[in-house]
Amino acid sequence: MTNIPENGKKLKITDIARLAGVSISAVSAALNNRPQISEATRRHILEIVDRYNFVPQRSARALSSKRSFQIGFLVSNKVTLGLANSYFSTLLSGVSEMCKRYDYHLVVTTYDLTDMTHFMRPANIWRRNVDGLIMAGTTDLKAVRELQAGSTPFIIIDGNYPDDILCLKSDAAGTITNILNYLYDQGHRKIRAPYYYQETFDIYQDALHRLKPDSRRETLQVELEYYEANDEFLAGEALAQRWLQSDRRTFTALVANDQICTGFLRAVLRSGRRCPEDISIVASDSATCCYGAVPLTSPDDRLFQT
């Protein structure tokens, strides 16, 4: 009879191999879904695994596969609220779900990715303790080149980078075009759009060129206003104060990210003004603001569904 560990002791991959009457490499192939073994052998091994509730140790799995089974997620620490930022937390949620599905551990941290003079490659990447890296937020091209010099593969979410850099891009200009068309149809002709990154400025320029018919481009005024990104909530409040102190005809609609929209709305409501009666606001990043006491329109709103 094949010896198995006494009750209360965890089985090892060697125990599964003995119970199944196969080699350790065959068990590893079955557990990692590799093609070196027949389907019949794979089923037999997995039946043993299920019968004894075998859970492979991550360290042993990493040693046999020469992988860490860890994915790194980096967000620029210049982002307002950091990982709690509604846009980046949504991205992180999706990445986390996929890591769980494929039994990967997710390492999450923040670094200053915006300026090479402040960027230090994370220790986990230097030591190759992650199998891959996902970066979110604006990243200095020089910092990207520094990472390319290493052996860790990575992908950047959004951004405008050379073709040799793997970048997952969304049609941000298309989203802004839909927002501008929607506001135009609502009667707005003066729209304010705060920006911090040059990339955001370029996206709006692209969106304006996409507007059809040409008469919309001629009659729609979209003022792009630069702001400091130290605190986007305060930036939104400051913009609202300037709007309130003017004749309020400088613009009739605001398009911005969730944080700026929230700060702007807070100041507007405290002044006794109303939204959308006095000012229309569209949150460009996500639908988080639609759950507020005063729901804000966003690209996920049904009004944008075609």
Side-chain angles (χ1 to χ4, degrees), residues 40-98:
T41 300
R42 186 188 313 279
R43 286 198 301 268
H44 174 61
I45 294 171
L46 294 180
E47 286 174 0
I48 298 295
V49 168
D50 291 339
R51 185 184 308 167
Y52 290 95
N53 296 316
F54 173 69
V55 178
Q57 294 182 349
R58 184 176 294 274
S59 58
R61 181 186 177 207
L63 183 63
S64 64
S65 64
K66 297 183 180 180
R67 288 185 289 170
S68 68
F69 292 93
Q70 294 192 126
I71 295 293
F73 186 91
L74 286 182
V75 172
S76 173
N77 59 13
K78 296 293 186 179
V79 172
T80 299
L81 293 182
L83 293 170
N85 182 288
S86 59
Y87 176 72
F88 295 102
S89 62
T90 301
L91 294 177
L92 177 58
S93 177
V95 171
S96 177
E97 184 62 32
M98 294 305 295

Side-chain angles (χ1 to χ4, degrees), residues 235-285:
E237 288 191 0
L239 176 57
Q241 291 299 334
R242 294 197 300 274
W243 177 77
L244 291 166
Q245 292 167 8
S246 68
D247 60 9
R248 294 192 296 282
R249 289 178 295 180
T250 51
F251 60 95
T252 62
L254 171 73
V255 182
N257 64 32
D258 288 4
Q259 287 73 233
I260 289 182
C261 286
T262 299
F264 187 93
L265 179 63
R266 173 189 173 97
V268 166
L269 295 181
R270 285 188 168 184
S271 73
R273 304 302 193 277
R274 296 179 300 172
C275 175
E277 290 83 358
D278 296 313
I279 183 74
S280 292
I281 305 175
V282 176
S284 59
D285 283 344

Side-chain angles (χ1 to χ4, degrees), residues 178-232:
N178 289 338
I179 291 174
L180 296 180
N181 276 321
Y182 168 76
L183 291 172
Y184 190 97
D185 291 339
Q186 297 298 308
H188 296 282
R189 298 295 182 268
K190 295 182 179 181
I191 299 172
R192 184 66 56 86
Y195 77 95
Y196 176 73
Y197 300 111
Q198 178 63 39
E199 177 190 348
T200 304
F201 181 91
D202 294 340
I203 287 171
Y204 273 91
Q205 293 295 330
D206 186 6
L208 286 168
H209 283 104
R210 295 190 190 188
L211 288 177
K212 299 291 184 180
D214 293 343
S215 59
R216 293 200 173 198
R217 290 199 297 268
E218 296 170 358
T219 58
L220 183 62
Q221 299 178 31
V222 179
E223 183 177 352
L224 297 170
E225 177 179 324
Y226 177 82
Y227 69 92
E228 291 294 339
N230 294 331
D231 189 315
E232 291 178 328

